[in-house]
Amino acid sequence: MIEEIIEITKSNIKRIRDKLITEINVEYPENEILYKSLLTKEYRNKIIDKIKKSYNFLEKNNYSDVDAFKKATNKLLDQSNTDLSEIIVKIENVINFIREITTESENEKQSRIYEFLNIKNELYEIEKHSNSQVIVVNGDGGTGKTHLLTNMANELLSKNITVIIFYGYSISSFKYYIEEKIKVRNLFEEIDKISKSNNEKGVIIFDAINEVNDDQENVIKYLIESVKNKNIKLIISYRNGDLEENALKVVKEYPHITLYGFADEIEAAVKFSEYYKIEINEILESNYANNPLILKIFCEQYGKKGSQKGQRGYNVATFIFEEYFETISKKIINELNITLNNGDIITGNIFWNNIAK
């Protein structure tokens, strides 16, 4: 049954990618932190390989704690070990030892120290996220939460790691959805069993939990309780300002990764201008260059304007967004048959002024 659920996940990922995600992407540092905090076998092996290169150097210089260092390194092979503090301390000891060596050239010493500092800083950065069974991703609308989590799930699945991703907008009652709609009463136990046999952590992602048409607090508590003491990492995302107060209190105690949009607005503007064939200054003047989704919408709408571009004057962005939301509002009205009390259809102007803003 778990294979069928994974197929549903793959199908959802494709649908979401087609709907929301442009091929343009500027990587965030947070992406790497989140991915590495899962401590996959691949990532652990990369760290181990980096450390092993130093063994001969340390033995040659009579490092007395080399066996304990090797033992701590080998512990990284155990997927159940999420505590990186021991190996971080061992690396700090090695760095201090290398600083005191008198038989090596200064260049050699600095090169070794640099390598170990990079490893230590990397592990230190993800330590709090790897220690926690629950990680929370948050940010404003359009800053890349769904993009990040969908891409991550896709990459993990390609490495045969068990990943299930849920999208909040499609679920009214999560427990009902699990136990009745997809009929998996032992979903968490199955993921735990499979992930242990693969010596990899299973991953459950719940994207946009703020969009659940259910008691958000109880959904979050249900998820956390269901993964407790299991070989599963739970990742929850929500949009800033949209999570119920009681639910917000529950997630506050867990490590957060906050997305702020593109880290480099100039780099993003260059990529988008090349892709959409729009002058880069038009994108920068829009004041939306840091938000991936809004920038995508802006470029798509701007590209359609042709000779009408800028007819509202300098603030092209306002005109384009008014047109965009008017189009969206009419689509919503047609689908839901919404009317005002006086019988008039909701116009794009009303939608823009009273809803979108």
Side-chain angles (χ1 to χ4, degrees):
M1 184 66 197
I2 200 76
E3 288 80 9
E4 294 177 22
I5 307 302
I6 289 174
E7 286 305 311
I8 292 172
T9 287
K10 289 179 179 177
S11 174
N12 281 341
I13 286 172
K14 184 179 186 306
R15 182 165 55 83
I16 295 295
R17 284 186 65 86
D18 291 344
K19 182 178 180 182
L20 294 178
I21 299 173
T22 176
E23 290 304 312
I24 300 172
N25 183 31
V26 178
E27 290 299 324
Y28 312 91
E30 291 88 349
N31 295 22
E32 286 295 307
I33 295 171
L34 184 59
Y35 187 82
K36 289 175 179 177
S37 70
L38 300 178
L39 297 179
T40 60
K41 279 191 289 192
E42 179 186 51
Y43 176 66
R44 288 170 183 263
N45 286 333
K46 283 181 180 178
I47 294 295
I48 291 170
D49 287 344
K50 287 178 183 178
I51 293 174
K52 281 183 175 179
K53 292 177 182 178
S54 68
Y55 287 169
N56 289 339
F57 174 83
L58 294 174
E59 287 170 344
K60 183 183 74 170
N61 285 281
N62 301 314
Y63 181 51
S64 60
D65 204 28
V66 69
D67 289 336
F69 183 45
K70 289 180 180 180
K71 188 176 179 181
T73 302
N74 288 335
K75 282 185 181 179
L76 288 172
L77 293 169
D78 181 7
Q79 183 62 43
S80 64
N81 175 29
T82 60
D83 184 7
L84 300 176
S85 57
E86 181 183 3
I87 188 66
I88 289 173
V89 169
K90 294 294 183 186
I91 290 172
E92 287 173 344
N93 292 341
V94 167
I95 291 171
N96 291 332
F97 170 76
I98 295 173
R99 286 196 175 109
E100 299 300 320
I101 294 175
T102 57
T103 56
E104 298 285 348
S105 70
E106 196 60 31
N107 285 342
E108 176 68 14
K109 287 168 57 175
Q110 290 304 319
S111 175
R112 298 286 180 176
I113 290 171
Y114 178 76
E115 289 172 3
F116 276 115
L117 279 173
N118 281 342
I119 297 171
K120 189 198 87 166
N121 291 339
E122 186 175 326
L123 294 177
Y124 183 80
E125 185 73 22
I126 66 170
E127 183 181 20
K128 66 177 180 179
H129 299 96
S130 61
N131 281 339
S132 176
Q133 192 171 16
V134 181
I135 299 178
V136 180
V137 177
N138 69 298
D140 291 338
T143 50
K145 299 179 297 297
T146 299
H147 192 160
L148 167 61
L149 296 176
T150 299
N151 281 354
M152 189 177 74
N154 201 39
E155 186 171 349
L156 292 170
L157 284 168
S158 72
K159 301 180 189 303
N160 296 318
I161 296 173
T162 304
V163 183
I164 310 294
I165 186 166
F166 300 99
Y167 298 101
Y169 71 89
S170 63
I171 298 170
S172 56
S173 172
F174 184 64
K175 191 171 181 183
Y176 172 85
Y177 183 87
I178 292 292
E179 298 182 354
E180 300 299 330
K181 186 170 182 180
I182 60 178
K183 301 186 185 304
V184 184
R185 288 179 174 78
N186 59 347
L187 172 69
F188 303 96
E189 287 78 6
E190 283 296 308
I191 295 175
D192 182 51
K193 182 171 67 176
I194 292 172
S195 58
K196 281 178 179 174
S197 67
N198 294 336
N199 195 29
E200 289 274 25
K201 274 207 183 301
V203 181
I204 290 181
I205 299 171
F206 202 118
D207 182 43
I209 204 155
N210 54 283
E211 295 181 6
V212 172
N213 296 318
D214 199 356
D215 186 328
Q216 295 170 1
E217 179 188 9
N218 285 336
V219 172
I220 294 171
K221 286 181 175 178
Y222 171 76
L223 283 165
I224 293 172
E225 188 61 34
S226 297
V227 302
K228 190 177 291 183
N229 300 321
K230 293 183 176 66
N231 200 45
I232 299 173
K233 197 84 163 179
L234 173 64
I235 302 171
I236 297 171
S237 82
Y238 69 88
R239 181 184 296 173
N240 291 345
D242 281 2
L243 201 62
E244 295 169 1
E245 187 175 347
N246 289 338
L248 199 57
K249 288 178 182 176
V250 177
V251 299
K252 270 188 175 177
E253 64 181 279
Y254 298 101
H256 278 56
I257 290 177
T258 302
L259 301 187
Y260 298 97
F262 292 128
D264 189 328
E265 292 186 11
I266 302 297
E267 181 183 359
V270 168
K271 288 178 179 290
F272 274 70
S273 68
E274 291 173 352
Y275 186 84
Y276 287 101
K277 296 179 171 47
I278 296 173
E279 292 293 327
I280 187 171
N281 64 301
E282 303 287 1
I283 293 175
L284 292 173
E285 287 174 6
S286 74
N287 296 320
Y288 296 106
N290 72 317
N291 187 299
L293 182 59
I294 296 181
L295 183 53
K296 176 174 181 278
I297 292 168
F298 172 83
C299 289
E300 288 175 347
Q301 295 301 313
Y302 189 96
K304 292 176 183 177
K305 291 309 301 174
S307 61
Q308 295 181 341
K309 275 188 265 190
Q311 61 181 271
R312 283 288 186 91
Y314 183 78
N315 194 354
V316 178
T318 299
F319 174 59
I320 289 172
F321 275 103
E322 284 184 1
E323 184 200 55
Y324 172 76
F325 280 110
E326 183 172 351
T327 304
I328 293 300
S329 65
K330 286 178 179 176
K331 183 178 179 183
I332 293 171
I333 290 161
N334 290 335
E335 290 178 353
L336 302 180
N337 295 317
I338 298 173
T339 59
L340 293 177
N341 291 334
N342 62 6
D344 294 334
I345 287 290
I346 298 178
T347 66
N349 191 45
I350 292 173
F351 185 87
W352 171 255
N353 290 326
N354 299 319
I355 301 175
K357 286 189 177 178

